[in-house]
């Protein structure tokens, strides 16, 4: 469903920009033709700039270091490049490029479960899936649906995925989750079994304590990610003491979606701050991939490829 929606939005924007340019050019306004087309195609960069201005203003007394203007500019540029790559290419057109990899020889080899976040699909993880398959690592990447439903509605999807990995490998998987995916993981884990079901969890930009930006939320799952939301408080109460020690959390003072930055950390977890990197771009940062390599006992290699 999400892939079709993003296909329509991507192609629709390109057609709108083309139509505007042709009409304005024929009307004798080449400047309007070029400027209008550019704004339609790259207007998202202005929205991102607003998000960065908000995260800088809302930082307050958060213990994470305050981002400098140069770091914010660097993160904004990275997100301007990453966002269309993910939302206009990988997810709408390439989400099935790398199918789940559960080879017959997977028994006894640690597998990986990849869980995307809000308004994303498994295409987010294409570079990860390519590298995992090349290394012979079993993996499953889920599509969380309904896209705008409650986080609770996706618990069954994770249970099925974990069961597939357990049957194929005989071992508990490492779970890598981006953004809302980390909350889906925690909600599933609170309901389905103890610590034996997950070897370790890596979260990347997950709003463990909600995010300021969710105050503008309209969907059910986004409202559950509001700061101090009753849903988040209830989730924390369901989790056993010491569960956070099974997590490694990556977060950034330039995360334009999850802020203030320390909302993406857990007390008792192995929290790692990634300076000058934004929300979507964080999924391609080399540090989480290196952490996964160490957990799997793989030779450390750079996270190259898009």
């Amino acid at each position: 469903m999400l892939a079709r929606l993003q296909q329509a939005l991507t192609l629709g924007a390109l057609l709108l920009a083309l139509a505007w340019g042709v009409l304005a050019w024929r009307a004798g306004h080449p400047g309007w033709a070029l400027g209008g087309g550019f704004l339609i195609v790259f207007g998202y960069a202005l929205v991102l700039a607003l998000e960065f201005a908000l995260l800088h203003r809302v930082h307050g007394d958060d213990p994470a270091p305050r981002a400098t203007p140069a770091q914010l500019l660097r993160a904004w540029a990275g997100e301007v490049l990453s966002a269309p790559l993910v939302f206009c290419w990988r997810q709408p057109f390439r989400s099935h490029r790398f199918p789940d990899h559960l080879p017959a020889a997977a028994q006894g080899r640690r597998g990986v479960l990849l869980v995307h976040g809000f308004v994303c699909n498994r295409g987010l993880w294409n570079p990860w899936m390519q590298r995992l398959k090349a290394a012979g690592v079993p993996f499953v990447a889920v599509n969380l649906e309904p896209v705008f439903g409650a986080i609770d509605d996706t618990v069954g999807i994770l249970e099925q995925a974990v069961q597939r990995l357990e049957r194929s490998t005989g071992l508990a998987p490492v779970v890598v989750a981006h953004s809302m995916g980390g909350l889906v993981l925690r909600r599933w884990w609170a309901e389905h079994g103890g610590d034996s079901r997950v070897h370790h969890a890596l979260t990347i930009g997950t709003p463990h304590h909600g995010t300021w930006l969710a105050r503008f939320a309209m969907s059910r799952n986004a409202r559950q990610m509001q700061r101090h939301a009753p849903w988040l408080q209830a989730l924390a109460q369901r989790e056993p003491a010491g569960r956070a020690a099974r997590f490694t959390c990556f977060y950034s003072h330039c995360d334009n979606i999850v802020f203030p930055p320390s909302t993406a950390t857990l007390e008792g977890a192995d929290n790692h701050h990634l300076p000058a990197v934004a929300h979507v771009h964080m999924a391609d940062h080399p540090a989480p991939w290196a952490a996964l390599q160490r957990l799997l006992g793989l030779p450390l290699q750079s996270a190259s490829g898009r």
Side-chain angles (χ1 to χ4, degrees):
M1 172 185 173
L2 181 69
R4 291 194 295 271
L5 176 61
Q6 291 182 340
Q7 287 171 8
L9 291 174
T10 299
L11 296 176
L14 292 176
L15 289 174
L16 179 61
L18 179 62
W20 170 273
V22 169
L23 291 174
W25 193 280
R26 288 181 175 177
H29 303 291
W32 282 99
L34 296 175
F38 186 87
L39 183 62
I40 292 170
V41 174
F42 296 103
Y44 72 93
L46 300 177
V47 177
L48 291 175
L50 175 60
E51 291 173 352
F52 280 96
L54 289 172
L55 78 86
H56 187 65
R57 181 178 180 84
V58 173
H59 187 278
D61 59 356
D62 190 272
R66 181 181 286 273
T68 66
Q71 288 174 321
L72 290 169
L73 182 61
R74 175 183 165 191
W76 172 82
E79 199 75 345
V80 167
L81 295 175
S82 294
L85 179 66
V86 170
F87 294 107
C88 300
W89 178 240
R90 286 187 200 165
Q91 293 185 168
F93 300 106
R94 305 284 284 178
S95 64
H96 297 291
R97 172 65 179 83
F98 300 99
D100 295 340
H101 183 58
L102 296 173
Q107 193 67 209
R109 181 154 195 185
R110 186 79 62 191
V112 177
L113 173 59
L114 300 168
V115 188
H116 65 77
F118 183 63
V119 195
C120 287
N121 66 22
R122 69 191 305 279
L124 171 77
W125 301 111
N126 278 3
W128 291 66
M129 292 189 283
Q130 183 176 16
R131 294 190 293 264
L132 288 171
K133 185 173 183 181
V137 176
F139 68 81
V140 171
V142 297
N143 278 328
L144 298 176
E145 293 185 350
V147 176
F148 301 110
I151 291 174
D152 312 75
D153 297 338
T154 60
V155 167
I157 296 173
L158 252 65
E159 175 62 15
Q160 292 176 11
V162 171
Q163 287 183 12
R164 290 178 63 201
L165 283 161
E166 289 172 335
R167 288 193 299 268
S168 179
T169 68
L171 298 172
V174 175
V175 183
V176 183
H178 179 253
S179 193
M180 185 189 75
L183 297 179
V184 176
L185 165 62
R186 289 175 56 195
R187 174 63 180 81
W188 163 82
W189 207 354
E191 180 176 337
H192 289 276
D195 288 343
S196 63
R197 300 293 304 280
V198 175
H199 179 66
H200 196 75
L202 299 175
T203 64
I204 306 168
T206 288
H208 289 296
H209 302 285
T211 171
W212 183 92
L213 200 60
R215 64 184 55 205
F216 305 110
M218 299 181 65
S219 67
R220 292 179 65 188
N221 47 7
R223 288 197 298 269
Q224 290 174 320
M225 293 186 281
Q226 293 175 345
R227 294 292 307 278
H228 313 299
W231 186 88
L232 287 171
Q233 296 174 14
L235 174 60
Q237 292 172 0
R238 295 184 61 175
E239 295 174 308
R243 173 60 58 80
R246 307 293 298 276
F247 282 78
T248 298
C249 303
F250 292 93
Y251 70 107
S252 176
H253 59 180
C254 289
D255 189 326
N256 54 306
I257 299 297
V258 178
F259 57 85
S262 293
T263 57
T265 66
L266 285 171
E267 185 177 356
D270 185 14
N271 298 305
H272 291 266
H273 180 246
L274 303 178
V277 59
H279 188 69
V280 174
H281 196 194
M282 209 182 307
D284 285 336
H285 194 279
W289 170 249
L292 178 61
Q293 287 178 297
R294 288 190 290 269
L295 286 168
L296 297 175
L298 297 176
L300 291 180
Q301 300 175 350
S302 64
S304 60
R306 303 294 283 181

